Amino acid sequence: MTVSGGYAYGQWAKALTTAGAHGDEATRTRAVKRLRKWTAVLAGLADGTLTIGSRTPTAGLPAWVTPDVVRGGFATGPALAGGPLTADEIAVAERVGIPATRIALFAYFLSEPGLAELQALLDNGAYRVDVPEAAALLAVAWLARNIADGQDGQDSHDGHDDNGDNGDNGDLQELLATLAPFADRLRFTPERTAASDETTDADHGPEVVQRETVGEVRATLARRPANPRIAAMNEALSVWNPFSDEVLALWLRTDVGGRVGASFTPEWRDQATELLARYRTLAAEHTWCTKHRKPKENLAILLAALTEAVTDRKLSARRRGLLQHAVDSMVRRRGMPGGAEHSALRAAQAGVAARPTHARLAQVVDARLAPLPQGAGLRDVSAALAPITVEDGRTFVVPNAVARLVRQATAGTVAELIDAGVVGSLEVVAELLPEIVGSHSADAYRDPALRTLMSRHYSAFRNRRSLLLLNYQHQVRIGELPWMVALQGLRETGDAYRADMVSTLRRVASQALAGFPATLLPNPLVREFAALSGEADARLPWVEELAADIFMGDFTVKYLQAAQSAGRLLANTLYEDYYGIDYDVLLAISVPRQPDGGAPIANAFGALCRDRAHLPPSHRSLVARNGMVIEQAQILTTHNLATLAGAVGVVPDGGWATAARRAFEHVCLLAERLERVPRVLPVIKDMAYAWRHMVFYASLLDEAELTALHAGLRDTATRAGRSVSRTLKPVIAGLEDVLAGEDFAEDGGSTHGRRLLGWSATGHWLMGMFGDERRVAYKS
């Protein structure tokens, strides 16, 4: 199977359209960057330098090099650690007097002063690892120092604990031989930071994380542009309205018998000249409001008449008519300048203009954040978000938009951040977990400097975007990186370490399921769970969500193992009955052996999934047919829920009954959304996933809990609204039929209801509950 360039061309065309036509400049700028990357993808596909679908997509770069990857898993060609020299690299070259090239820097850092510099960074922790390659020479420096200490027969350098095995010189030489061919183009050193910019486990604890650091929040605040409409309004109220009143008052002094501009005195002309000069100064300084520049606006008419009166000493008949109309309309609308009505209006407008803008309030919040550690989060954001008192004594609350940004820096456990509303999805949980997993996995190293390095390196590795892979290949694993191979012998993973990994997995998974009980576990989260269980030497069958558009028709053996694990947990439960699973048949399938040079394929399991999917004729949508097969695999494996509840021993905070109720409430929320969204298929799929989670949780309840859950389903749907109750009526009825001992027919129907699945290649039965227009939208 190969990948065509059609998807890449489509993304290129979308980026081109956005870059050329979008109204927002920042959006156009981002689109230009995407356009360049997709252009590189298309060029690489055309000249053969890119092989999309391979673990080594870029010719000449090994799998361990981190590629630049765009949407869909397409590599663009360059390595993330490549490109122009960073400012930090240039500064080092200038400081030590060497050419500003990567090969020269590589040689310097292998010299005695260079290694000493890297070893000092290891000790003070003032560095940032943004890509995995940036840790390579730090690993070299650590190995060089500790090998030397071991050869000297002395204790570890500068009081570091002795690891027993300080590394092997052969490993170090092999690592250098692996890195050297790429030293001219890849960056193998970290970025230096201020010592206070990097937080450590001692600051907050290994499971206290934040979405953004204080420094990142401040950078976002600094990029927030002023609202042009608010700025223009405030400028009009504070600058142009008072100035307009002065010009109007000057013209009213020329009123004779109801005719403005009837006579001009020398003193009047001097004042007019001064106002015109001040106008030019104000127009140059205050550029948000442009109304005064429009010829048909009253102020523009008054100013044009002033200019004519000063230069020509009289007004033309046309100018006098325009002036009279403008003065009359201004007085009629707001009263005479200085009058009670006019003064009250201007006072109110001045009060509005004097209110601090969101941008000004954001500056105050930024000043509060400035003295804090920039590389950490905040355990308590209340001080930063306290009401702001301005110069005149008035107090204002921090705007919601600013407060939301600051709360991104809230530091806490996953559960605390979910409760605080800072984490709103399992995808965000997956973004936070690498820091937790990296911190715990680094405990396998006794040396503190090495622990810090490995923790930061792990987070950088987990930020590596996944490639689109074909032919059952797996993503590059952290143990494949050359510097990790060299350090592997230094890990100490005893019983206490493994128990800590299991405990961490159980705790974090419980928090995730309690926070988002109805959501399919995203692949990045599954990878972190797999990493934790792998550290505990627990060989658990973690399975990823597969993409229907590149599904190759079969499943690797871990899917069969996960399904059999689910069967041992769920045999003779509601889950088995509802989804019509024969666990005896599933458990009887033999696990195939690992073939030479490839992934083991569970052919019998794939055949079972295809048989259960009841696929329509092959001329139907291939993607939809693939989705139907993948969904059956998810049903049989429970998509990791059985692994968590069984082998790991996870119980979500609040228990399974609470998780089941919350999952059904999410089903109701999605059912209500069906009436409003233009594309209903994704919503139907999410409903089916949430419903499946609810059925799984219900299968772990005792009889009394299950009875109580069943009794509350219709009431919950009714409270959600008439449309929700109507939509879910056949779904709930189908569950009740199963509870009563009935089976679903091959088409998913029962006596009173329907089985809820997410995929269909022939039109989902839920679409029959909507009009023809929605059915057309579904098919499209």
Side-chain angles (χ1 to χ4, degrees):
M1 185 174 181
T2 58
V3 177
S4 72
Y7 177 85
Y9 177 77
Q11 295 297 314
W12 178 89
K14 287 173 61 177
L16 178 64
T17 301
T18 304
H22 201 280
D24 179 63
E25 182 179 357
T27 302
R28 291 197 304 272
T29 300
R30 290 192 297 269
V32 168
K33 292 180 180 178
R34 293 197 304 274
L35 181 63
R36 288 171 179 161
K37 292 192 174 188
W38 284 112
T39 300
V41 172
L42 292 173
L45 289 172
D47 62 19
T49 57
L50 282 179
T51 306
I52 304 301
S54 168
R55 294 177 88 236
T56 53
T58 303
L61 291 180
W64 56 263
V65 173
T66 306
D68 180 30
V69 179
V70 289
R71 184 174 182 175
F74 282 70
T76 65
L80 281 184
L85 266 65
T86 65
D88 187 67
E89 289 176 299
I90 294 172
V92 171
E94 292 176 349
R95 173 165 51 81
V96 301
I98 61 175
T101 64
R102 287 222 162 93
I103 191 69
L105 286 164
F106 186 80
Y108 166 72
F109 281 116
L110 294 183
S111 69
E112 186 172 341
L115 285 171
E117 189 172 328
L118 291 176
Q119 288 159 1
L121 282 180
L122 283 169
D123 293 335
N124 63 35
Y127 61 88
R128 180 177 295 114
V129 178
D130 55 349
V131 290
E133 289 85 340
L137 285 182
L138 284 175
V140 167
W142 192 94
L143 285 167
R145 178 168 71 186
N146 286 271
I147 289 171
D149 287 343
Q151 290 172 346
D152 291 341
Q154 299 172 356
D155 293 335
S156 287
H157 184 73
D158 290 340
H160 292 290
D161 292 335
D162 186 359
N163 280 292
D165 179 1
N166 284 324
D168 181 86
N169 188 57
D171 293 336
L172 176 57
Q173 296 306 316
E174 184 175 349
L175 172 58
L176 291 173
T178 303
L179 300 179
F182 308 97
D184 60 336
R185 42 188 162 150
L186 299 183
R187 173 168 57 94
F188 291 125
T189 52
E191 177 185 353
R192 288 161 177 75
T193 65
S196 61
D197 281 352
E198 292 297 332
T199 185
T200 64
D201 292 350
D203 297 325
H204 284 152
E207 292 190 16
V208 173
V209 291
Q210 67 279 325
R211 292 193 65 179
E212 295 186 10
T213 65
V214 171
E216 289 168 340
V217 167
R218 291 188 64 211
T220 304
L221 287 173
R223 290 194 299 268
R224 280 175 55 88
N227 186 320
R229 296 175 62 184
I230 298 297
M233 179 193 74
N234 285 339
E235 189 177 274
L237 296 180
S238 61
V239 176
W240 296 112
N241 282 359
F243 181 77
S244 179
D245 292 341
E246 289 188 63
V247 178
L248 174 61
L250 185 65
W251 274 116
L252 288 173
R253 288 171 49 192
T254 67
D255 189 336
V256 177
R259 294 180 58 213
V260 177
S263 66
F264 308 124
T265 65
E267 179 186 4
W268 184 93
R269 286 195 174 91
D270 290 343
Q271 292 179 354
T273 301
E274 188 274 332
L275 279 178
L276 288 172
R278 186 142 57 90
Y279 168 74
R280 289 190 290 271
T281 300
L282 291 175
E285 294 177 352
H286 303 281
T287 57
W288 286 106
C289 180
T290 59
K291 189 176 180 180
H292 58 91
R293 301 181 186 277
K294 299 177 180 178
K296 294 183 179 181
E297 292 294 330
N298 288 334
L299 177 57
I301 293 172
L302 267 59
L303 290 171
L306 275 186
T307 302
E308 190 170 302
V310 169
T311 56
D312 297 340
R313 302 279 174 166
K314 62 180 180 179
L315 297 178
S316 65
R318 180 178 181 278
R319 184 70 67 191
R320 184 176 286 111
L322 291 172
L323 173 64
Q324 188 69 54
H325 182 271
V327 169
D328 290 345
S329 64
M330 293 171 74
V331 172
R332 184 168 56 251
R333 289 183 62 189
R334 302 182 185 88
M336 295 289 290
E341 178 185 357
H342 186 276
S343 297
L345 173 63
R346 290 309 191 212
Q349 291 176 339
V352 172
R355 290 177 61 89
T357 63
H358 286 192
R360 177 71 187 98
L361 295 175
Q363 290 174 354
V364 175
V365 173
D366 178 73
R368 291 173 174 176
L369 297 174
L372 303 176
Q374 301 298 291
L378 295 173
R379 283 297 268 162
D380 184 4
V381 298
S382 59
L385 299 180
I388 297 171
T389 301
V390 296
E391 292 80 359
D392 60 5
R394 291 182 298 169
T395 299
F396 298 90
V397 299
V398 175
N400 287 335
V402 175
R404 281 196 300 270
L405 284 176
V406 174
R407 290 192 183 99
Q408 297 289 87
T410 302
T413 65
V414 170
E416 290 170 342
L417 296 184
I418 292 173
D419 291 342
V422 177
V423 170
S425 69
L426 283 180
E427 284 76 13
V428 177
V429 174
E431 292 173 6
L432 299 176
L433 271 191
E435 186 174 344
I436 296 174
V437 179
S439 177
H440 281 282
S441 65
D443 288 341
Y445 301 91
R446 291 176 58 192
D447 181 75
L450 190 54
R451 280 203 302 271
T452 299
L453 174 61
M454 289 297 96
S455 178
R456 295 178 189 175
H457 172 262
Y458 185 92
S459 295
F461 178 78
R462 285 308 183 195
N463 286 331
R464 176 176 172 141
R465 295 187 64 176
S466 296
L467 287 167
L468 190 162
L469 296 178
L470 302 177
N471 304 316
Y472 307 104
Q473 300 174 93
H474 62 77
Q475 301 290 335
V476 170
R477 294 164 179 156
I478 194 168
E480 297 179 63
L481 306 186
W483 44 97
M484 295 301 295
V485 173
L487 294 170
Q488 184 62 33
L490 302 172
R491 292 174 54 81
E492 298 181 2
T493 55
D495 291 341
Y497 174 82
R498 288 190 288 271
D500 179 58
M501 294 297 106
V502 172
S503 176
T504 301
L505 171 58
R506 186 179 298 122
R507 184 165 53 254
V508 173
S510 297
Q511 295 169 355
L513 285 186
F516 306 98
T519 305
L520 195 73
L521 300 182
N523 287 351
L525 186 63
V526 173
R527 285 195 290 270
E528 295 306 318
F529 288 170
L532 280 168
S533 66
E535 289 292 313
D537 290 339
R539 299 185 180 277
L540 302 179
W542 301 99
V543 295
E544 298 86 7
E545 182 182 11
L546 302 174
D549 55 346
I550 59 170
F551 178 57
M552 301 187 65
D554 277 306
F555 301 90
T556 54
V557 72
K558 65 182 178 181
Y559 286 84
L560 171 59
Q561 293 169 330
Q564 291 179 334
S565 177
R568 287 187 284 272
L569 177 70
L570 297 170
N572 303 313
T573 65
L574 171 64
Y575 193 91
E576 179 181 31
D577 294 338
Y578 183 84
Y579 289 107
I581 305 170
D582 189 337
Y583 279 128
D584 289 337
V585 171
L586 183 61
L587 291 170
I589 299 176
S590 60
V591 177
R593 293 182 178 180
Q594 171 80 39
D596 293 335
I601 305 303
N603 294 316
F605 178 75
L608 176 61
C609 292
R610 288 188 291 274
D611 182 62
R612 286 176 51 83
H614 303 296
L615 296 174
S618 58
H619 66 274
R620 297 285 184 174
S621 167
L622 176 61
V623 172
R625 287 166 53 87
N626 286 346
M628 294 171 68
V629 176
I630 292 170
E631 183 173 29
Q632 289 303 317
Q634 290 176 338
I635 289 170
L636 294 175
T637 63
T638 70
H639 195 70
N640 304 297
L641 292 180
T643 299
L644 289 172
V648 181
V650 168
V651 177
D653 299 339
W656 296 113
T658 299
R661 285 192 296 271
R662 292 190 57 203
F664 182 69
E665 288 168 358
H666 193 71
V667 172
C668 293
L669 178 67
L670 293 168
E672 189 272 333
R673 193 176 298 168
L674 278 176
E675 294 278 349
R676 299 182 284 107
V677 296
R679 296 180 64 244
V680 297
L681 181 56
V683 180
I684 291 175
K685 288 192 293 183
D686 288 342
M687 278 179 62
Y689 299 156
W691 177 260
R692 187 172 74 234
H693 281 221
M694 190 273 291
V695 175
F696 175 85
Y697 303 146
S699 300
L700 302 180
L701 303 179
D702 60 32
E703 186 173 349
E705 290 174 319
L706 180 57
T707 300
L709 174 68
H710 171 216
L713 293 184
R714 288 189 181 275
D715 288 342
T716 301
T718 300
R719 288 195 302 271
R722 180 180 300 177
S723 65
V724 172
S725 181
R726 178 174 63 92
T727 299
L728 295 181
K729 181 178 179 180
V731 178
I732 296 173
L735 180 66
E736 291 172 340
D737 287 343
V738 172
L739 289 171
E742 295 187 24
D743 294 327
F744 287 109
E746 183 174 306
D747 65 354
S750 64
T751 302
H752 303 100
R754 302 279 308 190
R755 177 190 285 142
L756 179 57
L757 299 176
W759 283 90
S760 173
T762 57
H764 201 282
W765 61 264
L766 267 174
M767 299 309 301
M769 307 182 72
F770 300 99
D772 292 339
E773 181 179 342
R774 300 302 297 279
R775 283 197 290 272
V776 170
Y778 168 83
K779 292 178 180 178
S780 64

